[in-house]
């Protein structure tokens, strides 16, 4: 069995086809997918999915790209994290690609999420883009190692991966690992300790080869796992077993929440 550690099934590209999406997950050995919250306004739809489908779990957070949305407080995130289908805080982090001015509100929002994760005792789902140094600095300053979590859709260099691993975080690889030109990601895929590796789709985005450019969905995480297996000289089953065990070790409460 495989787990897709990061997807957005509530986004319009997928929201009307969830039944088919679930069917294709079943047909491809994908037994669980983590549906990621990106705003308080949209959280209701994410929770509905996780309530409706035993294979789906949820996270609560406000994405660093989001502007014009309600800013969460620590208390609010902690309370929302108490929902029975929520296993993590995020997606949070820093994104200086979409916000090139590196605004202070992003760092404040990230700090709020780390504080909430520690208060709730739940791991973090971290997004970082062109902001690795600040991301790691804030994780260290706010004590993110206490809860750990996922560096999602990892595209940074090996030294950044190493620093995140040192903080107790897992590295999650997306379909980018199947792109031939993604040399850095493929290098990281070889070097992450097998017991700290996760796989994800980030669907509806970043469909792996051979679906590149199309709408992504959790079933395609199989192609991510197959490529990681090929790179590391392991079998698909070894990667599936390891990444699934890692997911349930990181989120012990997910074991009983996911109907397998
Ligand atoms: Ni995401």
């Amino acid at each position: 069995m495989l787990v897709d550690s990061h997807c957005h099934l509530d986004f319009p590209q997928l929201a009307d086809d969830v039944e088919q999406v679930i069917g294709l997950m079943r047909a491809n050995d994908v037994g669980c997918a983590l549906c990621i919250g990106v705003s308080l306004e949209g959280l209701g739809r994410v929770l509905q999915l996780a309530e409706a489908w035993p294979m789906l779990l949820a996270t609560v957070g406000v994405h660093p790209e989001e502007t014009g949305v309600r800013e969460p407080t620590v208390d609010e995130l902690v309370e929302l994290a108490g929902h029975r289908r929520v296993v993590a805080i995020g997606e949070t982090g820093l994104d200086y690609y979409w916000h090139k001015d590196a605004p202070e509100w992003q760092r404040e929002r990230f700090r709020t999420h780390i504080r909430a994760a520690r208060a709730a005792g739940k791991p973090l789902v971290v997004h970082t883009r062109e902001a690795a140094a600040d991301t790691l600095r804030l994780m260290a300053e706010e004590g993110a190692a206490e809860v750990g979590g996922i560096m999602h859709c990892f595209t940074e260099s090996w030294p950044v991966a190493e620093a995140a691993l040192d903080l107790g975080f897992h590295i999650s690889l997306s379909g980018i690992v199947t792109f031939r030109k993604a040399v850095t990601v493929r290098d990281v895929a070889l070097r992450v300790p097998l017991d700290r590796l996760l796989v994800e789709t980030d669907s509806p985005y970043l469909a792996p080869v051979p679906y590149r450019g199309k709408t992504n969905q959790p079933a395609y995480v199989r192609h991510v796992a197959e490529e990681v297996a090929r790179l590391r000289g392991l079998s698909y089953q070894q990667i599936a077993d390891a990444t699934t065990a890692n997911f349930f070790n990181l989120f012990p409460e997910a074991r009983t929440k996911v109907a397998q």
Side-chain angles (χ1 to χ4, degrees), residues 6 8 36 38 63 91 127 152 202:
H6 195 111
H8 300 278
I36 304 296
V38 298
H63 195 288
E91 144 173 27
H127 167 112
H152 113 84
D202 205 11

Side-chain angles (χ1 to χ4, degrees), residues 169-192:
F169 276 67
H170 289 59
I171 305 293
S172 182
L173 300 173
S174 70
I176 292 175
V177 78
T178 68
F179 302 171
R180 294 285 173 246
K181 286 183 182 166
V183 177
T184 306
V185 173
R186 292 156 74 83
D187 173 57
V188 168
L190 275 171
R191 299 165 79 159
V192 175

